[in-house]
Structures are given as structure tokens and as C-alpha cells.
């Protein structure tokens, strides 16, 4: 898998100075929510692409097996990344909740 493919997971984050323009907590929440939605949509797109390629191969259409396997691996990796990010967020939340004030 090419390194530039990892940029497809979150292209909006890489913009320089994008977080400095946020002036209120509400705007920050909205920006973070839209980032999460975009990231999950990207994961769903890679999953749909993998399913489409697999279906084409099953139907006997002219599809290169390497493309099918690459799409499947890309889908699996993005899903694993999403799950690990969720696990880390839940772990951080639980750690914050255990803190004594």
C-alpha cells in the first residue's frame, strides 16, 4: 500500500493552520464532528469499493486479482485504524473519568 493512500483517510486535517481559525468551543465541536463524519465516510467508501471489486470477480468479470486483493487490504487496514482510534478515544475517556477532582 502506498503511503499517499494514508492521506485519503483524513485529508482535511493536514491543512496548515486550520485549527487556529476556530474561535469558539461550538465551532471546534462542529469541526471535530465533521472530521469524524468525513473519516467514517472514507472508511465506508473503501469498504464499498472492496465489496464491488469482490462482486465483480465473483461474477466472472474481467478484474485483476491484484486489484481485488489491494482493495480488500486497504479496506481492512482502514477499518483496523478506525477501530484502534475508537479504542484509544474510549480509553482516554475512561482515564479522564477515573481522575479525582
Amino acid at each position: 500500500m502506498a503511503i499517499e493512500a494514508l492521506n485519503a483517510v483524513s485529508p482535511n486535517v493536514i491543512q496548515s493552520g486550520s485549527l487556529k481559525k476556530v474561535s469558539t468551543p461550538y465551532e471546534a465541536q462542529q469541526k471535530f464532528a465533521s472530521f469524524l463524519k468525513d473519516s467514517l465516510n472514507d472508511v465506508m467508501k473503501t469498504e464499498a469499493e472492496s465489496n464491488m471489486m469482490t462482486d465483480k470477480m465473483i461474477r466472472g468479470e474481467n478484474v485483476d486479482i491484484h486489484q481485488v486483493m489491494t482493495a480488500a487490504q486497504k479496506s481492512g487496514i482502514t477499518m483496523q485504524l478506525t477501530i484502534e482510534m475508537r479504542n484509544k478515544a474510549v480509553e482516554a475517556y475512561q482515564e479522564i473519568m477515573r481522575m479525582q477532582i
Side-chain angles (χ1 to χ4, degrees):
M1 182 168 120
I3 300 242
E4 59 270 359
L6 294 176
N7 292 336
V9 174
S10 58
N12 297 331
V13 172
I14 300 174
Q15 297 173 357
S16 62
S18 64
L19 296 178
K20 295 177 184 175
K21 296 177 185 176
V22 176
S23 59
T24 65
Y26 176 76
E27 289 175 357
Q29 289 174 353
Q30 294 302 315
K31 201 167 189 93
F32 183 70
S34 68
F35 165 73
L36 285 178
K37 288 177 188 175
D38 292 342
S39 296
L40 290 176
N41 285 335
D42 289 342
V43 171
M44 289 175 23
K45 275 191 236 177
T46 58
E47 182 73 24
E49 181 182 330
S50 174
N51 290 340
M52 181 188 65
M53 296 288 282
T54 303
D55 289 343
K56 283 183 179 181
M57 186 181 76
I58 290 171
R59 287 191 303 261
E61 295 181 21
N62 189 14
V63 179
D64 188 18
I65 187 72
H66 298 291
Q67 292 175 344
V68 175
M69 294 304 295
T70 301
Q73 287 296 316
K74 183 178 178 182
S75 174
I77 289 171
T78 56
M79 184 60 75
Q80 286 176 348
L81 174 65
T82 303
I83 291 169
E84 287 301 318
M85 288 175 59
R86 183 210 53 165
N87 291 344
K88 288 294 182 180
V90 168
E91 187 178 309
Y93 174 77
Q94 290 172 344
E95 184 68 28
I96 289 171
M97 293 308 292
R98 282 191 291 258
M99 287 183 183
Q100 295 191 5
I101 298 177

